[in-house]
Amino acid sequence: MIKATTINEVKENVREWKRQGLTIGLVPTMGYLHEGHASLIERARKECDKVIVSDFVNPIQFGPKEDLATYPRDFEADCKLCESLGTDLIFHPEPEEMYLDGFHSYVGVDTLSAELCGKSRPIHFNGVCTVVSKLFNISEADKAYFGQKDAQQLAIVKRMVRDLNYNIDIVGCPIIREDDGLAKSSRNIYLNSDERKKALILHKALTKGEELVREGEKDVKKVIKTIRDIIESEPIARVDYVEIVDWNELQKIDKIEGPILAAVAVYIGEKVRLIDNFVVE
Ligand code: AMP
């Protein structure tokens, strides 16, 4: 497995692979990899000749009061996992390599970025779209793999690719969970053992909400209230949002008529903010 830290190293390899007519799959990550990331890499391995994993904690997608400095990192462990899954190249640049002095160019998708996480993280999705655009250009990938764990991100990246005519297929992959149902996340490491147990309330609440929707409940307020009440029954859980939006434009709705995304963001204890969701097509 090639370990690249510069954009030029990646481009040199890509040029050679393209010359040989090989297809390239890209898995963008912020590292501290777990089985959720592994599922994306495995899918890319199956579908593409060459697999690139980017491992980069992207500073421009973090707000000033967010956890950029403390975001967990373990590049050696990431390399081991990537290598065991047959990754061809891991790209691990320094922030200065990605953002040169005088960097002033940003990509953003409005409307879809306005609700859900966009409300409490106003610069987040422009940071994501910008880094993802750069990674698409650097890797010249044919396909890129994203988890439904970050459903809003997946919808936004798909829209950016459609609207701006990127030559890449976006593949959405299902949420991978712990045995007890907690969605796998690099941020789960922040939870102490008591918080870890109580964080299960997200999955419990969403499972009940999904059941209601699948049984035919159309009233969004009712479903949201059910989810919110279950989460708020746990004293150390503080709701950032519980929302149901249409799974196309990510706008709030009153009635469930077409495909929906139900998403929650919840603080467990003082600082750990977890997200989870379900989609009903
Ligand atoms: P991150 O490193 O958190 O930025 O995530 C990188 C990619 O892995 C994103 O496309 C995420 O949606 C995806 N991902 C993270 N956690 C999971 C999970 N539990 N299941 C599926 N995909 C995930």
Side-chain angles (χ1 to χ4, degrees), residues 104-139:
H104 295 305
S105 308
Y106 296 87
V107 184
V109 175
D110 63 22
T111 306
L112 282 80
S113 305
E115 300 291 336
L116 309 171
C117 288
K119 279 202 172 141
S120 46
R121 307 187 74 189
I123 61 153
H124 177 67
F125 290 111
N126 284 11
V128 169
C129 287
T130 303
V131 78
V132 163
S133 293
K134 287 169 68 70
L135 293 167
F136 289 176
N137 287 333
I138 293 164
S139 68

Side-chain angles (χ1 to χ4, degrees), residues 111-175:
T111 306
L112 282 80
S113 305
E115 300 291 336
L116 309 171
C117 288
K119 279 202 172 141
S120 46
R121 307 187 74 189
I123 61 153
H124 177 67
F125 290 111
N126 284 11
V128 169
C129 287
T130 303
V131 78
V132 163
S133 293
K134 287 169 68 70
L135 293 167
F136 289 176
N137 287 333
I138 293 164
S139 68
E140 294 182 48
D142 299 275
K143 291 185 175 197
Y145 296 80
F146 290 84
Q148 193 206 300
K149 162 79 178 10
D150 300 273
Q152 188 175 17
Q153 168 175 285
L154 172 61
I156 287 172
V157 170
K158 277 188 175 164
R159 187 61 59 92
M160 176 185 85
V161 163
R162 189 202 75 168
D163 287 353
L164 301 181
N165 310 100
Y166 284 81
N167 259 331
I168 191 164
D169 287 338
I170 303 303
V171 182
C173 303
I175 302 177

Side-chain angles (χ1 to χ4, degrees), residues 24-38:
I24 297 173
L26 171 71
V27 182
T29 82
M30 297 209 300
Y32 212 71
L33 304 179
H34 49 68
E35 288 91 337
H37 301 107

Side-chain angles (χ1 to χ4, degrees), residues 90-232:
I90 185 165
F91 178 41
H92 183 58
E94 291 295 326
E96 299 73 33
E97 174 71 8
M98 292 295 270
Y99 300 109
L100 301 176
D101 275 347
F103 185 92
H104 295 305
S105 308
Y106 296 87
V107 184
V109 175
D110 63 22
T111 306
L112 282 80
S113 305
E115 300 291 336
L116 309 171
C117 288
K119 279 202 172 141
S120 46
R121 307 187 74 189
I123 61 153
H124 177 67
F125 290 111
N126 284 11
V128 169
C129 287
T130 303
V131 78
V132 163
S133 293
K134 287 169 68 70
L135 293 167
F136 289 176
N137 287 333
I138 293 164
S139 68
E140 294 182 48
D142 299 275
K143 291 185 175 197
Y145 296 80
F146 290 84
Q148 193 206 300
K149 162 79 178 10
D150 300 273
Q152 188 175 17
Q153 168 175 285
L154 172 61
I156 287 172
V157 170
K158 277 188 175 164
R159 187 61 59 92
M160 176 185 85
V161 163
R162 189 202 75 168
D163 287 353
L164 301 181
N165 310 100
Y166 284 81
N167 259 331
I168 191 164
D169 287 338
I170 303 303
V171 182
C173 303
I175 302 177
I176 304 296
R177 299 180 177 279
E178 304 285 354
D179 290 341
D180 61 7
L182 180 69
K184 294 205 184 242
S185 164
S186 306
R187 287 191 169 98
N188 291 350
I189 188 83
Y190 296 147
L191 300 167
N192 65 32
S193 65
D194 181 49
E195 292 166 340
R196 166 68 185 77
K197 276 185 217 134
K198 293 179 171 164
L200 263 188
I201 202 71
L202 277 79
H203 182 56
K204 199 173 156 199
L206 284 168
T207 305
K208 183 68 197 162
E210 182 167 359
E211 221 174 272
L212 281 182
V213 175
R214 292 197 185 276
E215 282 164 3
E217 180 58 65
K218 301 274 179 250
D219 184 345
V220 164
K221 277 203 189 107
K222 261 194 199 157
V223 182
I224 289 181
K225 184 172 180 330
T226 303
I227 296 173
R228 187 180 263 276
D229 285 351
I230 295 175
I231 295 173
E232 287 177 345

